[in-house]
Amino acid sequence: MPESPFYAKAMRGTSRLVGHWLMIGQADSDRLAMILADTARVAKLGEPEDTPDGATLQAWSGDSQPPLWAARAATFLLMQMPSRPAPRDELEACAWAYCWLRNRRFESYDEARAALPEHLLDSLDEALNEAWADSQSQRLI
């Protein structure tokens, strides 16, 4: 079965998602990397073997693909920030939507959409719809 266009976009967007966390997080890159890893562990979004350093976080926000736990933790943190950040482009929106569905369990698309923070409803509408369709074809396993 060929890879879906959505999944490919979501995976390309994970580095942008981690970069967004790096850009607006209010600490140096080493501290932001530690927060990301600790959040993944505590919120049960993945089990990083080691806590990355700032240089690794910088690489993940550029050309290196971050591990899924890092993207999931970045989504978790960004969605809770009082500054109400939103995805900056289509690829990042796909990564946010993909991680949103991986971070929580939903019975329906309507439930997943209704649970989004209000400020993200418009910016994630299309990507969430694609993510839901992709998850129903068993790609989000």
Side-chain angles (χ1 to χ4, degrees):
M1 176 182 283
E3 186 175 276
S4 80
F6 170 79
Y7 182 78
K9 290 188 291 187
M11 291 303 99
R12 284 196 320 269
T14 57
S15 61
R16 290 180 165 117
L17 178 57
V18 170
H20 201 154
W21 165 245
L22 184 60
M23 180 181 75
I24 65 173
Q26 296 181 347
D28 64 52
S29 59
D30 285 329
R31 178 99 171 113
L32 292 173
M34 182 194 68
I35 291 168
L36 207 59
D38 288 348
T39 297
R41 291 180 187 109
V42 170
K44 300 188 182 332
L45 303 173
E47 284 295 326
E49 288 183 28
D50 299 308
T51 299
D53 59 19
T56 301
L57 189 61
Q58 293 279 351
W60 289 345
S61 70
D63 294 333
S64 296
Q65 175 100 21
L68 187 54
W69 67 259
R72 291 178 66 189
T75 301
F76 180 86
L77 292 165
L78 288 167
M79 287 184 160
Q80 296 182 53
M81 294 185 90
S83 62
R84 300 168 42 139
R88 297 167 293 171
D89 61 31
E90 178 189 12
L91 295 179
E92 189 178 331
C94 289
W96 282 56
Y98 177 86
C99 291
W100 177 247
L101 294 182
R102 291 293 306 257
N103 286 355
R104 298 179 57 184
R105 298 285 179 237
F106 301 103
E107 295 297 319
S108 69
Y109 167 78
D110 291 335
E111 181 186 348
R113 188 175 189 287
L116 279 172
E118 188 174 328
H119 74 279
L120 293 171
L121 289 173
D122 289 337
S123 60
L124 289 182
D125 190 47
E126 186 176 330
L128 186 62
N129 190 29
E130 289 180 55
W132 184 261
D134 201 64
S135 73
Q136 296 310 292
S137 67
Q138 300 302 313
R139 292 189 187 280
L140 294 179
I141 297 176

